[in-house]
Amino acid sequence: KAGVTQTPRYLIKTRGQQVTLSCSPISGHRSVSWYQQTPGQGLQFLFEYFSETQRNKGNFPGRFSGRQFSNSRSEMNVSTLELGDSALYLCASSSWRRGVNNEQFFGPGTRLTVL
Amino acid sequence: AQKVTQAQTEISVVEKEDVTLDCVYETRDTTYYLFWYKQPPSGELVFLIRRNSFDEQNEISGRYSWNFQKSTSSFNFTITASQVVDSAVYFCALSETTSGTYKYIFGTGTRLKVLA
């Protein structure tokens, strides 16, 4: 099976712009989560989608949004970029089923730099 | 509320030494899962182990072993005879089941440096 893929791998934007990141989960995985990783804050949970529905959201401002498509692919969008948004954005998928929290498999991440 | 604490920010050992990475968690849920992940310098997190709250058996996989103790809310990870390739950041994570939050909480990670 192919692993989790994320595009693009690297992105450079300027303040005020918006950005869309894409994630393709492992085939058959319907749960997709997004994380922001920065040196000082570790992995911070952004949101999780399952069957096109956002089931949970972390403590991030409304500038961060996401969606999931019927094929389980997911996108996250960040509007009005700020310098502090510079980070590695990780996508993870899992084969969730009720009562069993399976392990997540991570993609290589998208490194976003905001200038 | 969920919380995972990895108090060791960075550990340096010499090759072939044993090293234990600590993980302490907080949860009000009775059913939960614990995980360990490895993030090598290449950046991609690699899943190592999953343990549910009803299974307190320790696990050994090659040079890796895990000690789960509900009484102290700890899930520690030991690498025996460490190797340079073990150098990475290791993350412990917690996910509750019955609360229905469907999210995973990660610790801040422990950077392990294994020196040749």
Side-chain angles (χ1 to χ4, degrees):
Chain A
K1 271 187 182 177
V4 178
T5 59
Q6 292 186 245
T7 57
R9 293 291 310 278
Y10 302 91
L11 209 47
I12 299 176
K13 293 285 188 179
T14 57
R15 280 181 300 175
Q17 287 187 309
Q18 75 164 17
V19 66
T20 299
L21 312 181
S22 181
C23 170
S24 291
I26 290 173
S27 178
H29 287 189
R30 295 161 63 191
S31 170
V32 174
S33 298
W34 288 90
Y35 296 86
Q36 180 194 67
Q37 185 177 21
T38 57
Q41 298 294 320
L43 272 82
Q44 300 292 308
F45 172 75
L46 281 155
F47 27 66
E48 188 254 358
Y49 286 87
F50 182 82
S51 292
E52 302 178 66
T53 300
Q54 186 184 89
R55 293 198 295 190
N56 213 331
K57 191 176 189 304
N59 297 323
F60 279 81
R63 300 185 297 107
F64 292 81
S65 63
R67 58 177 175 169
Q68 186 180 34
F69 303 94
S70 58
N71 62 358
S72 294
R73 190 177 69 84
S74 178
E75 289 182 346
M76 68 162 279
N77 184 77
V78 187
S79 62
T80 320
L81 284 167
E82 301 178 358
L83 295 179
D85 296 334
S86 294
L88 180 66
Y89 289 87
L90 294 165
C91 169
S93 74
S94 73
S95 57
W96 181 87
R97 55 189 171 92
R98 189 173 300 281
V100 180
N101 289 11
N102 287 323
E103 59 273 19
Q104 295 183 311
F105 293 89
F106 284 80
T110 294
R111 183 163 297 282
L112 172 65
T113 302
V114 182
L115 302 176
Chain B
Q2 296 174 296
K3 186 177 180 181
V4 176
T5 301
Q6 294 181 257
Q8 304 152 308
T9 305
E10 185 169 313
I11 301 175
S12 291
V13 299
V14 177
E15 206 170 18
K16 297 183 183 177
E17 283 186 4
D18 298 347
V19 58
T20 295
L21 310 182
D22 298 332
C23 173
V24 175
Y25 62 92
E26 293 178 29
T27 178
R28 288 177 292 190
D29 220 349
T30 55
T31 304
Y32 51 89
Y33 287 80
L34 297 164
F35 307 83
W36 275 95
Y37 289 85
K38 173 183 180 180
Q39 187 175 38
S42 61
E44 194 160 335
L45 272 87
V46 176
F47 164 74
L48 295 177
I49 190 172
R50 179 188 74 173
R51 176 66 79 220
N52 73 51
S53 52
F54 296 108
D55 184 1
E56 283 195 74
Q57 283 190 348
N58 292 333
E59 174 136 350
I60 298 175
S61 176
R63 295 184 298 106
Y64 295 172
S65 62
W66 290 269
N67 182 355
F68 176 31
Q69 291 193 338
K70 287 178 73 171
S71 60
T72 56
S73 296
S74 65
F75 186 42
N76 296 337
F77 172 31
T78 297
I79 301 175
T80 303
S82 60
Q83 300 176 1
V84 173
V85 293
D86 295 327
S87 296
V89 181
Y90 291 86
F91 291 94
C92 180
L94 163 71
S95 185
E96 296 173 342
T97 300
T98 53
S99 66
T101 58
Y102 311 120
K103 64 179 180 180
Y104 297 72
I105 301 300
F106 283 77
T108 51
T110 296
R111 181 177 299 277
L112 175 64
K113 293 185 177 180
V114 181
L115 308 173

